Amino acid sequence: MDFAALNPITQAFLACLFTWGMTALGAALVFLTKDFSKKMLDVMLGFAAGVMIAASYWSLLAPAIDMSEHLGHWSFVPAAIGFMLGAVFLRVIDMYLPHLHLNAPMSEAEGVHTNWQRSTLLVIAITLHNIPEGLAVGVAFGAAASGLESASLAGAIALAIGIGIQNFPEGTAVSVPLRRDGMSRAKAFWYGQLSGMVEPVSAVIGAAAVYFARPILPYALAFAAGAMIFVSVEEVIPESQSSGNGDLATMGLMLGFTVMMTLDVALG
C-alpha cells in the first residue's frame, strides 16, 4: 500500500490508529505489574507534556504563521486567533464535562456534578487530552495535502510518531492506578486503551475540515496547538509535579521536547 497516495483523511485515520495502538500498548503494562514506580510515571507524564509543547510549535504554530505570510506584518493574526480559540474551547469543555484528574480524590472531580464512577471520570479526563492530539494529527495531514511548502507529509508523519510515543505513558497512567485500586487487569486495560479511541475520530474531523475548507488551515493548525498547550499546562504538567518528583518530571519534559523537535526537524 502506497501511503503517500492515499486520501489525507485516510492517512490521518491510519496514523491515529497507530497513536491509539500506542495508548493500548501503554495500558497493557497492567498485565505485567499491579504497581508502577511513581517516579517513572511522573517522568513519563513530563515526557508527554514535552512532546505536546514541542509539537504545538514545530508542527502546528510555525506552519500556521508560514501559511499567512501573504498578510505581511500581520501574519501572526490567524495563528494568534486560532491558538486562543483552541484554549477557550478546551476551557469550556473542562468547565462542564465531568472528569477527574489522575491521583485526585473524588471530591476534586471537575465539571458538572455527577454520580459517575471514578474509572469513568478518569477515562474522560484522558480522553480530553486525546481530542486535541487527534485533531492535530488530522489537521497536519490535511495541511500536507494542500500543497503548501510549509506543510509536508513527512512532517505530519513525524507528528503522528511523536503523539504516539507520548500516548504510551498516558495509557499506563490510566490503567495502572485503576489496577492499584483493585480493578481486574482486563478491565483496567480496557479503560486505559479506551481513552485513545477518540483520536482516529477527531483526526478524521480535523483532516476533513482543512481538506475541504483550505482557508481555515492556519486557524485550524493553531487551534490544535492552543488546545494541546492548554491540556499540557492545566493537567499533564501539574500531575507530573504533584508527587514530589518535580525535577525528574521536568527532565522528562525536556527530553520529550527534544525528541519531538528532533523528529519534526529531521523528518519534516
Side-chain angles (χ1 to χ4, degrees), residues 161-181:
I161 293 172
I163 295 296
I165 291 172
Q166 67 94 38
N167 274 359
F168 184 91
E170 288 189 351
T172 305
V174 176
S175 64
V176 169
L178 292 178
R179 174 59 181 158
R180 192 186 300 129
D181 289 344

Side-chain angles (χ1 to χ4, degrees), residues 19 74 79 97 119 129 192 201 217 226 248 264:
T19 64
W74 296 95
L97 185 67
S119 57
H129 289 187
V201 177
L217 187 48
L248 290 173
D264 195 277

Side-chain angles (χ1 to χ4, degrees), residues 116-141:
W116 292 348
Q117 295 181 346
R118 175 182 176 85
S119 57
T120 302
L121 295 174
L122 283 172
V123 172
I124 291 175
I126 300 298
T127 301
L128 199 58
H129 289 187
N130 292 336
I131 291 174
E133 293 168 10
L135 282 174
V137 173
V139 170
F141 277 99

Side-chain angles (χ1 to χ4, degrees), residues 196-220:
M197 284 186 178
V198 72
E199 288 196 0
V201 177
S202 54
V204 167
I205 292 172
V210 300
Y211 183 62
F212 293 112
R214 179 171 166 175
I216 71 168
L217 187 48
Y219 297 93

Side-chain angles (χ1 to χ4, degrees), residues 32-104:
L32 303 179
T33 179
K34 181 177 180 178
D35 206 352
F36 198 82
S37 166
K38 192 67 180 69
K39 287 184 178 180
M40 180 57 67
L41 193 57
D42 287 343
V43 170
M44 292 167 72
L45 285 172
F47 181 91
V51 169
M52 293 172 74
I53 293 171
S56 295
Y57 175 73
W58 295 100
S59 300
L60 300 169
L61 281 175
I65 294 172
D66 288 343
M67 291 173 189
S68 303
E69 284 185 347
H70 63 282
L71 297 176
H73 293 300
W74 296 95
S75 60
F76 65 89
V77 171
I81 292 174
F83 186 79
M84 290 306 301
L85 286 177
V88 170
F89 174 74
L90 260 292
R91 173 56 181 153
V92 171
I93 293 180
D94 194 62
M95 288 173 60
Y96 294 103
L97 185 67
H99 63 284
L100 181 68
H101 291 190
L102 295 172
N103 305 314

